[in-house]
Amino acid sequence: MATLIPTIAHSLIYLDVDVCLHQDGTARVTEKRTCMIGDDGTEGFITMLNMGNIGIYDLKVKDEQGVEFLCEEGNWNTNRNRREKTCRCGIHQINGGVELCWGIGSAGMRTYEISYTLTNFVKAYTDYDGFNHSFYEADNTPAQAASLTIRLEGDSLHIPTSRVWAFGFTGRVMLANGKMSVAASEPLKEGGSMIVMCQFDKGIFTPAANGEGTFAEVRHKAFEGSDYQEELYCERYEDSIPLSGTPTSLMGGYGFTGENNASLGEQASDTLSDLMDNSWFIGFIIFIVFIVYMMFKGHDWGGGSSSGGYSGGSRGSSSRSASNRSSGWGGSSSSRGGGGHSGGGGSGFR
């Protein structure tokens, strides 16, 4: 009797997304997907829906050996075998959006670099400029690890003129060193996503496209059902500016678990304000005592969970306190919310 040899399933081991924003609101997105490619299927795909007036151009794909794929003109033909699609890519028009497609080629450990341009990405609203976009939506092969960076071409993004929130996964967000960083702290689940919303003060961009209404309305819709609280954000952070030189871990969440992040930031800011009139040595000693005290209370370094900052106790109380980190400067993402975004629709292999 012949022995059946099981086929290797596809898996997305690591997803790394780089988003370069241009002055006119255009974004150049580069995705690196490190994958284990199995024996079945013919192509990888990224579905984009709800794009409105966002245009998608200049698709490029290359593999781990630097081989650039031929980008086919016209509508990508999905009805071909694996050999016919190898080293080729294209855009497949579908109902309500498009799919970015490429041939997966030979089986084994592979890395695909997929880059494309999104026009009219950052839009001008009456109060702010910004976007709310799903850069990744897991389909049949959820990413085991994922990270995303947003940067401004030729310049830096700064606190407090730029703010970032993330939805759809367990992880953390932060704004540091002139760029925004988003990272998942555990493997994504099927149906999970990486939605990122950014808000910018006027003057950073000169967007070519206008958004409808205010960005506050976009933010409010995205916060619905999430771990963030719109009311808390508006009351405590809309016009606040962090103290110069305040450590990131005391500035809205990064460095602590999700629980009570903003209240920790407020306490730390008040404490540091009082210490400004005293000697550096006294301030340093009190700061160390504060950190030791928080460690004994069960907080740990390394960011919080996005599912409400749960670290013991009832889920409801943890979820509410975790919402306090909604300053947009740093802290945990939200495993829920993000409504009203562009993009998304599925990503995987077939």
Side-chain angles (χ1 to χ4, degrees):
M1 179 180 295
T3 302
L4 295 178
I5 302 176
T7 59
I8 300 174
H10 302 308
S11 62
L12 176 53
I13 299 171
Y14 180 53
L15 169 67
D16 179 46
V17 183
D18 176 81
V19 183
C20 181
L21 302 178
H22 298 258
Q23 200 71 37
D24 64 351
T26 297
R28 183 65 182 176
V29 182
T30 302
E31 302 186 12
K32 289 185 179 180
R33 297 180 174 230
T34 301
C35 315
M36 176 59 74
I37 298 299
D39 302 318
D40 297 329
T42 62
E43 66 183 24
F45 68 93
I46 302 169
T47 305
M48 294 191 179
L49 304 174
N50 307 313
M51 297 298 281
N53 64 348
I54 298 177
I56 305 173
Y57 300 97
D58 196 21
L59 172 66
K60 297 183 184 296
V61 179
K62 62 181 179 181
D63 64 13
E64 68 283 351
Q65 296 180 350
V67 176
E68 295 187 4
F69 291 19
L70 173 65
C71 187
E72 299 180 346
E73 297 182 0
N75 196 32
W76 173 264
N77 180 10
T78 62
N79 299 316
R80 290 177 290 175
N81 62 37
R82 195 157 172 165
R83 179 185 58 81
E84 292 171 329
K85 293 180 182 178
T86 296
C87 292
R88 293 175 177 269
C89 63
I91 298 178
H92 181 218
Q93 301 291 333
I94 60 173
N95 185 29
V98 299
E99 292 177 331
L100 309 182
C101 305
W102 67 95
I104 55 178
S106 59
M109 188 68 72
R110 306 294 307 276
T111 298
Y112 307 103
E113 181 178 297
I114 306 107
S115 59
Y116 50 91
T117 296
L118 300 176
T119 60
N120 300 327
F121 185 68
V122 178
K123 291 183 171 61
Y125 295 84
T126 56
D127 50 355
Y128 297 99
D129 299 333
F131 65 84
N132 182 25
H133 185 77
S134 177
F135 290 94
Y136 173 68
E137 190 163 321
D139 200 342
N140 52 6
T141 52
Q144 297 178 25
S147 63
L148 183 146
T149 300
I150 298 173
R151 54 191 174 89
L152 179 59
E153 182 189 35
D155 205 343
S156 298
L157 299 171
H158 300 289
I159 298 169
T161 59
S162 305
R163 308 201 180 198
V164 57
W165 298 266
F167 309 85
F169 66 97
T170 298
R172 68 187 187 189
V173 299
M174 66 179 294
L175 200 168
N177 300 320
K179 60 185 179 181
M180 298 170 174
S181 300
V182 178
S185 58
E186 63 181 48
L188 276 75
K189 300 178 176 62
E190 187 169 344
S193 55
M194 185 169 275
I195 303 168
V196 179
M197 179 174 67
C198 290
Q199 171 185 300
F200 306 103
D201 283 357
K202 293 293 186 179
I204 299 176
F205 295 91
T206 54
N210 294 323
E212 294 184 7
T214 67
F215 194 80
E217 295 170 335
V218 174
R219 191 179 63 229
H220 177 75
K221 187 172 184 179
F223 278 5
E224 290 180 353
S226 76
D227 298 330
Y228 299 112
Q229 283 184 326
E230 175 74 11
E231 295 81 3
L232 189 81
Y233 167 78
C234 292
E235 292 174 5
R236 300 188 182 180
Y237 297 108
E238 185 67 38
D239 299 316
S240 63
I241 300 176
L243 293 173
S244 176
T246 303
T248 306
S249 58
L250 302 179
M251 207 163 54
Y254 177 67
F256 289 103
T257 55
E259 186 176 1
N260 283 329
N261 277 336
S263 59
L264 286 173
E266 291 164 3
Q267 294 167 15
S269 296
D270 292 340
T271 301
L272 290 176
S273 296
D274 294 337
L275 291 175
M276 290 176 69
D277 296 328
N278 299 324
S279 68
W280 179 90
F281 178 77
I282 296 175
F284 178 77
I285 294 299
I286 295 178
F287 177 74
I288 294 299
V289 172
F290 172 79
I291 295 301
V292 172
Y293 170 72
M294 296 314 302
M295 291 178 65
F296 275 101
K297 287 191 67 176
H299 295 275
D300 61 296
W301 299 104
S305 76
S306 67
S307 55
Y310 182 70
S311 57
S314 65
R315 177 75 178 198
S317 61
S318 293
S319 178
R320 180 172 179 80
S321 60
S323 300
N324 291 347
R325 50 161 161 52
S326 58
S327 67
W329 295 326
S332 302
S333 67
S334 170
S335 58
R336 300 174 293 275
H341 62 78
S342 56
S347 172
F349 302 98
R350 61 193 174 199

